[in-house]
Amino acid sequence: MFSSSVADAPLIREPLHAPVAHLIRGGVVEGIHYGSVVVLDAGGQVEFQLGDIEAAFYPRSALKPVQAVAMVRAGLPLDGELLSLTAASHSGEERHLAGTRRILELAGLSEDHLRNVPDMPFDPVVRDEWVREGRQPSRLAQNCSGKHAAMLYTCVLNDWPLEGCLDPAHPLQQAIAEIVEDLTGQRIAQVTVDGCGAPLFSVSLHGLARAGARITAAAPGTPEARVADAMRSHAEMASGAGRDVAALMAAVPGLLAKDGFEGVQVAALPDGRAVAVKIADGANRARIPVAAAALARAGVDAGLLTEFAGEALLGGGRAVGCVRPVRSLEPVVVSACA
């Protein structure tokens, strides 16, 4: 089972990534995506690993469920859609903006209090509509606004100052860092700034998988279970319409999944089985097929994963290849690519 002790921080080094996916075009390997993959069994033991699962790396937004747990432990009273939005990398749809406004209203605050960077909506269709309407980048539309609104609400509830709430030394960020270490089971190796402006904590891929497992396997009613339940029940609030992570959670019963920029994916099941993926070059096209293969490795029915086999490679407008996980990762073939 999972240990309650916290191990030393992972080493900061050049990760020893390995091939995790091939680009097959016309039966020839045209390209190779390197990365690392870890699969944990229900007891928290490493069942499969590929590449370097112990080097320090940045989970990016895949760490948001952990940050949400930390805020719930600090008294954040949200549940359902708004708690899912707290852990979101949302698409900037109107429901996401409305939800963020609601969190701010509950805190007695407004959009002007947000400290994340202004941006256009993440979803390309929504973004194009904004451009046609002449709308400008805003903090509300930026994909992390739900998390930032919840951070402000947590500060209000604890009488912590709003000023400097994104500083790693602020009580809010110290509380989050403590839970990052608790759930990953290791000390934080490095702290930097994420794209949205919030602190970003470096752990290992193994630690990320462990945190995902601890969240999904937690007892009902705990902060961890509340976050997992909210995200699974409102998957499109944590992402957006048509997003692959929402589709993955809908396809696999009980699955919690969260992606992160630069090719990061974590997914975990209620019995504690978990997988975590890092694509070395950050390529999004390899993230989901590799994660699907890892889930098959973890024992998920491959028939539930066929739609996540990866995008086709086109030639003359027709499919002539695909992105396929390496054979050592894919014990049951999920990809239809030859």
Side-chain angles (χ1 to χ4, degrees):
M1 296 299 291
F2 294 106
S3 170
S4 59
S5 62
V6 177
D8 291 340
L11 292 177
I12 299 174
R13 64 180 183 223
E14 181 177 344
L16 303 174
H17 292 305
V20 294
H22 291 154
L23 276 68
I24 310 294
R25 182 181 294 271
V28 172
V29 176
E30 182 178 35
I32 301 173
H33 287 294
Y34 283 72
S36 295
V37 180
V38 60
V39 177
L40 302 184
D41 64 20
Q45 299 302 306
V46 175
E47 183 175 292
F48 175 85
Q49 62 180 301
L50 186 60
D52 193 342
I53 69 170
E54 302 296 354
F57 91 120
Y58 291 119
R60 303 300 298 271
S61 288
L63 202 61
K64 282 179 178 172
V66 178
Q67 293 171 309
V69 168
M71 288 186 270
V72 173
R73 287 196 190 184
L76 186 70
L78 302 178
D79 281 297
E81 288 189 346
L82 295 185
L83 184 53
S84 183
L85 184 60
T86 295
S89 300
H90 65 70
S91 291
E93 300 163 21
E94 286 302 323
R95 59 177 160 174
H96 300 129
L97 276 58
T100 301
R101 289 191 193 98
R102 180 59 182 153
I103 296 173
L104 290 168
E105 288 169 359
L106 290 169
L109 303 173
S110 71
E111 182 180 351
D112 291 338
H113 290 92
L114 288 172
R115 292 294 177 265
N116 55 315
V117 296
D119 202 355
M120 301 293 280
F122 177 77
D123 183 88
V125 174
V126 180
R127 184 170 59 247
D128 288 349
E129 184 178 347
W130 271 55
V131 172
R132 285 193 300 270
E133 294 174 353
R135 301 170 75 175
Q136 299 300 310
S138 78
R139 298 184 195 277
L140 204 63
Q142 196 268 337
N143 75 91
C144 302
S145 64
K147 177 183 78 173
H148 281 258
M151 284 181 171
L152 292 171
Y153 192 10
T154 304
C155 288
V156 168
L157 292 166
N158 287 277
D159 293 322
W160 293 333
L162 299 184
E163 187 66 30
C165 68
L166 299 185
D167 188 321
H170 189 279
L172 169 70
Q173 301 304 336
Q174 290 291 299
I176 291 174
E178 180 181 346
I179 304 309
V180 169
E181 294 187 337
D182 178 28
L183 293 180
T184 63
Q186 59 190 174
R187 301 296 179 196
I188 293 166
Q190 185 74 287
V191 182
T192 188
V193 182
D194 209 340
C196 65
L200 178 60
F201 304 105
S202 179
V203 292
S204 69
L205 195 67
H206 188 181
L208 177 64
R210 190 160 44 228
R214 286 176 168 173
I215 290 172
T216 57
T222 60
E224 292 89 336
R226 283 172 56 191
V227 170
D229 289 344
M231 293 181 68
R232 287 184 294 225
S233 298
H234 304 279
E236 290 192 348
M237 203 66 170
S239 54
R243 294 273 293 278
D244 53 31
V245 285
L248 190 60
M249 284 193 274
V252 181
L255 186 74
L256 176 69
K258 184 68 188 77
D259 56 340
F261 278 158
E262 299 302 327
V264 182
Q265 181 71 54
V266 64
L269 292 153
D271 62 4
R273 287 176 291 160
V275 307
V277 170
K278 164 64 181 175
I279 306 301
D281 61 2
N284 207 43
R285 65 180 176 183
R287 172 181 55 82
I288 277 290
V290 170
L295 285 168
R297 266 269 178 193
V300 173
D301 181 357
L304 301 175
L305 301 168
T306 53
E307 69 176 287
F308 308 103
E311 64 186 65
L313 300 183
L314 302 180
R318 63 184 180 87
V320 295
C322 68
V323 179
R324 187 183 70 198
V326 295
R327 295 295 191 191
S328 62
L329 176 58
E330 201 172 31
V332 179
V333 176
V334 174
S335 169
C337 185

